[in-house]
Amino acid sequence: MILIAGPCVIESKEQIFKIAKYLKPYSEKYNFYFKASFDKANRTSLASFRGPGIDKGLEILNEVKEKFGYKLLTDVHETWQVKKAAEVVDVLQIPAFLCRQTDLLVEAAKTDKIVNIKKGQFMNPEDMKYSVLKVLETRGCREANYENSKKYGVWLTERGTTFGYGNLVVDMRSLVIMKNFAPVVFDATHSVQMPGGAGGKSSGKREYVAPLAKAAAAVGVDGFFFETHYNPDEALSDGPNMITPQELQNILKDIDCINKCKEN
């Protein structure tokens, strides 16, 4: 099972290493990727914390790789960031708001890294096939299906769909639909986000992370994405929808149980 975990954004080297240490047990049990963003370019307000930037951020992530041996995942927002990030990380993540950006997808596809495309909050899951194809065709493959995407390193991540103003819902059918095109990861923490719900920044309801994750496990996905922080209420980005390492441990126990039942 793919497991992506880590904080929303790099706040400091101390913060990153503290969270990375908490997550060590999972790197030995799952196909684990440590996630953190060097820049959050789509914050609601200009005053919101964005991160240390690409150079300092990648330097810190590289130190995490050297110390813990983790595979790494980070976001890229612009084409010029792709080559730099690919020198350090193992997965290039295309943010949900940019999932149709052809130049960004093609530039990521030109690397030898896995490309994780987050489904836009505004997207029909059926149409994510065409985002996948932009990567596959750049890599020499002309048919978007699960096996081809697995072979050529393309993932899709579900993170909820806009439902009115300031709210997201998860249509579990999207997990089944998108699995026709690529391995699917369920982003349980962003799926409980409430965009713009805290007056100039996003809010969220982390009490729904566990139920949604268990529902996704029952439907059947290839992996899970959990933004994790030792003190979510003091986090500088996405605090209301992040979970603690202890909460992550409890959720993963339930997911493992569901997966074991399905195998039997």
Side-chain angles (χ1 to χ4, degrees), residues 210-228:
L212 287 176
K214 288 185 281 187
V219 171
V221 291
D222 297 89
F224 291 87
F225 182 120
F226 296 99
E227 284 196 329
T228 312

Side-chain angles (χ1 to χ4, degrees), residues 131-175:
S131 294
V132 171
L133 271 171
K134 290 176 184 181
V135 178
L136 289 177
E137 289 182 1
T138 304
R139 292 181 169 178
C141 176
R142 295 193 173 277
E143 184 179 354
N145 60 46
Y146 182 92
E147 292 302 327
N148 284 345
S149 291
K150 187 174 181 180
K151 177 180 177 181
Y152 287 94
V154 189
W155 300 344
L156 288 172
T157 291
E158 169 62 69
R159 54 129 319 140
T161 300
T162 300
F163 186 71
Y165 296 124
N167 199 13
L168 301 172
V169 296
V170 178
D171 181 355
M172 290 292 165
R173 294 176 300 178
S174 71
L175 305 176

Side-chain angles (χ1 to χ4, degrees), residues 171-241:
D171 181 355
M172 290 292 165
R173 294 176 300 178
S174 71
L175 305 176
V176 180
I177 292 166
M178 293 197 300
K179 202 161 182 176
N180 289 314
F181 318 132
V184 172
V185 175
F186 180 62
D187 181 348
T189 44
H190 280 104
S191 291
V192 302
Q193 194 178 63
M194 301 182 73
K201 58 183 179 179
S202 292
S203 184
K205 293 188 175 182
R206 71 173 68 97
E207 63 266 30
Y208 298 122
V209 170
L212 287 176
K214 288 185 281 187
V219 171
V221 291
D222 297 89
F224 291 87
F225 182 120
F226 296 99
E227 284 196 329
T228 312
H229 198 287
Y230 48 83
N231 192 345
D233 290 332
E234 293 186 2
L236 299 181
S237 176
D238 276 3
N241 49 268

